[in-house]
Amino acid sequence: MVSRVIPVDSFDLVIFGGTGDLARRKILPGLFRRFLAGQMPDTSRIIGAARSDLDDDGYRTMIAEAIEEFGGAEKEKSEDVKAFLGRLHYVAIDAKGDGGWKELADLMRDDVVRAFYFSVAPSLFGDLAERLHSYKVAGQDARIVVEKPFGRDLDSAKALNDTLAQHFNEDQIYRIDHYLGKETVQNLMAVRFGNVLFEPLWNSHYVDHIEITVAETVSVGGRGSYYDKSGAMRDMVQNHLMQLLCLIAMEAPNEFTADAVRDEKLKVIRALQPVELHHIVRGQYEAGKDTPSYRQDVEDPRSRTESFIAMKVDIANWRWAGVPFYLRTGKMLKARTSEIAVVFKDLGHSIFPGDHARHRNILKIQLQPNEGMDLQVTIKEPGPGGMRLIDVPLDMTFADAIGEDVEDAPDAYERLIMDVIRGNQTLFMRGDEVEAAWAWTDPIIGGWEQRGDVPKTYEPGSAGPEDAMMLMHRDGRKWLELRAK
C-alpha cells in the first residue's frame, strides 16, 4: 500500500541549532525523506542557523554526511542527495547578539510559509523570539517550533509561555512532542472515534484498568548532566506519558480540529487527582556486570534523581471514576517497548464447566519498536476433549495489515514538521495544556523533594524495583510482562 502524499505550500524553514545533534540525526534526514516522497515544492528552502563559522558549501557537506549516516542515503541515487542539498543554505548567527540577523532577514521571502525551528536550549528561546521580531524576520503568519522541555516547573513554564507570547500569538507556536507524531498514537484516535465497536466499552462499566508503559534498555549515557536535573518524572511523565494518558481518556471532540482536540485533552489533565504517596514508586538502576550504576553515569554518588517511576493515577470524571491508570517508565529495563494496555473487566459468570481460568479481553497498543495493535480474545482450544478455553491475540501489526514497510514509513518528526508547514496544530501542545500538566506534576515532585525520598534501587535488565510490582499487587492486579513485541 502506497501512502497518499499530501502536498504542502512552498516554505522557508529556518533551523536554529542547524548544526546540532537533533538537526543532524532527525530534522534534516527527515526532511530529506519528505523530499524523496515529493512533499517539498521546488521553491522550498531550508536554512541552517548556528554559531559555527560555515558557508553554504560547508553546511551542505555536513548535512550530506548526516543523511548518509541517519537518513538512508546509501539506498538512494547520489543525484537525489545533490538535489536536496541544493535547497540548503546557512547563516552564521549570534542568538544573543546582532551577528547574522541582517543576513538572515535578507534571505527571507514574502510569498512563502515562514517557519522557525528552535532546536536550541530553552534559555535561548526568548532571545531568538525577540530578534526575529526586531529584525522583522518573522511576520504575522510565521510559525515557530519549540522543543521540550517546556520549563522544569509551573513557574518556568509560565515564564516561557509569556516570553513567546510577547512576540507570537498562540496559533503561531508549535510545541513539539515527537510521541504525538507516531503512527500508532494518531491511530489511537481513529480506533476510538472511528469504530462503533470500542466507544460503548470505553468507560468504567467495562474497563478494569489501563497500563501505560514506556521502557528503555539504555542508560542515561551522555545525557547524564541533563537527566540528573530532570529525572523520569520531568523527562517522560509530565509530557510523553501525560499525552498518551490524555488521548486514551479524553472525550470525543465535536470535530477533528486543533483546538477541539486540545480542549478535550486539557479537561483530562484538569481532572487528574493528586497522587497519594503510597501510589508512587521511584527507582535508580544499580551497576550491572558490565554497566555502571545511575550514580556513576551522572557522576554524583549521592544523587536522588529517579531513572524509573511507576504510579497509580485516578481521573475524577464520570467516564473513568474508579478506573486506575498505572503509568511506568524507566531506563535500563529488560525490554525496549512503549505500550498502552486497556484491560477490560472479567465476565461476571462463566457458563463453561470446569473453566476456572481468569479470561480477559485486553487491547494492546504498541508504539515501539513495532507499531501496531492486538486484541486478546478468548476462544476454544482446538482439538477434542471438551470446551477448553484459551486466550489468543487478534494481531494487527501495521506492517502486515496495511502492507507498509516500517523502515520506509515517515517517522514522527517528518509528520510533525509537515504539519507545521500546513499550519495544523492538532498534534502540538497548547500553552494552557503545558501549564496544567505542570500544575499537577509540581506537588508530586515537591513532596518527595521535601521529604528527602531516596529512590529504590533495581537491577539492570529487570522490570524495575520490586515496590513497583507491589503497587499493582496491592490492588489484586499485576503488570503485563515487559517485553518487546
Side-chain angles (χ1 to χ4, degrees):
M1 177 177 177
V2 177
S3 300
R4 182 168 64 91
V5 175
I6 302 175
V8 297
D9 294 331
S10 183
F11 60 86
D12 279 349
L13 172 63
V14 179
I15 305 172
F16 292 108
T19 61
D21 187 67
L22 179 62
R24 292 184 297 106
R25 284 178 174 269
K26 289 289 186 180
I27 301 174
L28 271 305
L31 287 166
F32 173 62
R33 289 189 289 269
R34 290 302 87 207
F35 169 78
L36 292 177
Q39 210 168 5
M40 190 176 296
D42 291 342
T43 55
S44 295
R45 301 183 306 174
I46 302 165
I47 303 167
R51 292 178 297 176
S52 302
D53 186 16
L54 294 171
D55 57 12
D56 287 354
D57 289 340
Y59 188 58
R60 289 166 183 161
T61 299
M62 172 187 290
I63 302 307
E65 294 171 354
I67 290 172
E68 183 175 358
E69 183 175 359
F70 304 113
E74 69 280 359
K75 301 178 183 178
E76 311 301 335
K77 296 180 181 179
S78 59
E79 53 262 33
D80 290 327
V81 178
K82 185 177 180 180
F84 174 74
L85 295 176
R87 310 290 184 89
L88 268 57
H89 301 270
Y90 183 81
V91 176
I93 207 158
D94 182 0
K96 291 180 171 290
D98 298 320
W101 285 98
K102 183 179 183 303
E103 289 79 2
L104 180 60
D106 291 341
L107 268 179
M108 305 308 293
R109 298 173 293 171
D110 294 329
D111 56 344
V112 298
V113 173
R114 294 188 186 185
F116 303 89
Y117 201 123
F118 289 11
S119 181
V120 295
S123 59
L124 296 176
F125 288 178
D127 296 298
L128 292 176
E130 180 182 346
R131 282 159 179 77
L132 284 173
H133 177 76
S134 61
Y135 279 90
K136 296 182 173 56
V137 179
Q140 289 297 315
D141 296 328
R143 297 149 197 177
I144 64 168
V145 185
V146 293
E147 280 277 347
K148 78 176 188 75
F150 312 116
R152 59 174 283 108
D153 52 26
L154 179 57
D155 289 342
S156 59
K158 284 182 174 179
L160 180 56
N161 283 338
D162 290 346
T163 296
L164 296 176
Q166 291 176 18
H167 304 293
F168 296 96
N169 299 323
E170 181 62 35
D171 62 7
Q172 294 178 277
I173 304 171
Y174 292 71
R175 298 170 186 83
I176 192 168
D177 183 337
H178 71 273
Y179 258 65
L180 294 185
K182 291 181 178 293
E183 188 70 38
T184 321
V185 174
Q186 297 176 64
N187 230 316
L188 176 58
M189 289 187 280
V191 168
R192 278 203 59 193
F193 304 126
N195 295 281
V196 71
L197 173 65
F198 291 111
E199 182 55 30
L201 308 179
W202 214 264
N203 54 59
S204 60
H205 295 296
Y206 298 100
V207 176
D208 180 81
H209 68 279
I210 293 175
E211 300 176 28
I212 302 176
T213 297
V214 178
E216 299 177 86
T217 56
V218 297
S219 67
V220 296
R223 299 178 67 221
S225 58
Y226 159 76
Y227 194 94
D228 201 45
K229 296 182 177 65
S230 300
M233 188 69 179
R234 287 188 173 98
D235 188 55
M236 295 295 293
V237 176
Q238 187 273 339
N239 41 76
H240 296 330
L241 272 71
M242 179 76 73
Q243 291 299 308
L244 299 179
L245 172 65
C246 288
L247 292 177
I248 281 285
M250 64 187 272
E251 297 295 324
N254 66 311
E255 58 183 350
F256 191 64
T257 60
D259 278 335
V261 170
R262 296 187 295 182
D263 285 345
E264 297 303 331
K265 287 163 59 184
L266 180 61
K267 291 177 186 177
V268 173
I269 298 173
R270 288 177 172 168
L272 292 175
Q273 293 286 80
V275 181
E276 299 180 31
L277 172 61
H278 61 285
H279 289 163
I280 304 171
V281 177
R282 299 167 66 233
Q284 250 185 27
Y285 58 83
E286 299 176 306
K289 182 179 179 181
D290 300 309
T291 58
S293 68
Y294 174 84
R295 291 182 174 183
Q296 290 170 325
D297 275 335
V298 301
E299 299 179 349
D300 182 353
R302 295 181 296 180
S303 173
R304 294 183 175 181
T305 302
E306 74 285 353
S307 62
F308 173 97
I309 190 164
M311 57 200 316
K312 177 183 176 181
V313 176
D314 294 302
I315 301 175
N317 61 25
W318 282 15
R319 180 181 290 268
W320 297 115
V323 178
F325 287 70
Y326 296 97
L327 281 56
R328 63 175 170 174
T329 183
K331 302 281 190 182
M332 293 292 282
L333 299 177
K334 65 186 297 185
R336 174 180 175 263
T337 182
S338 295
E339 183 178 76
I340 301 168
V342 181
V343 182
F344 293 93
K345 291 184 176 180
D346 293 332
L347 284 171
H349 170 69
S350 176
I351 66 172
F352 302 105
D355 176 42
H356 304 297
R358 189 184 199 187
H359 299 287
R360 278 185 168 173
N361 299 125
I362 303 174
L363 177 64
K364 297 180 182 178
I365 303 157
Q366 186 83 14
L367 307 179
Q368 65 180 21
N370 298 315
E371 297 184 343
M373 302 184 188
D374 67 56
L375 177 63
Q376 179 176 297
V377 296
T378 302
I379 66 168
K380 175 190 175 296
E381 184 177 12
M387 185 65 74
R388 297 190 304 272
L389 304 184
I390 59 172
D391 296 327
V392 298
L394 296 178
D395 192 0
M396 193 190 79
T397 302
F398 289 164
D400 297 333
I402 310 176
E404 290 281 1
D405 185 336
V406 174
E407 292 185 359
D408 293 338
D411 75 4
Y413 277 97
E414 294 175 50
R415 294 188 184 97
L416 294 174
I417 292 173
M418 290 299 103
D419 276 354
V420 173
I421 303 302
R422 295 187 192 100
N424 183 355
Q425 289 185 305
T426 304
L427 299 175
F428 297 83
M429 286 182 283
R430 203 167 57 191
D432 55 358
E433 189 181 345
V434 172
E435 292 180 12
W438 279 120
W440 177 77
T441 304
D442 275 1
I444 298 172
I445 296 174
W448 71 54
E449 288 181 345
Q450 185 177 17
R451 294 188 300 271
D453 291 353
V454 178
K456 307 291 184 181
T457 57
Y458 61 94
E459 294 182 4
S462 69
E466 185 62 29
D467 287 31
M469 306 302 109
M470 293 303 301
L471 181 66
M472 292 189 72
H473 288 171
R474 288 196 298 266
D475 296 338
R477 303 181 176 98
K478 64 178 181 179
W479 294 100
L480 297 181
E481 186 177 351
L482 190 60
R483 61 181 179 182
K485 183 175 177 180

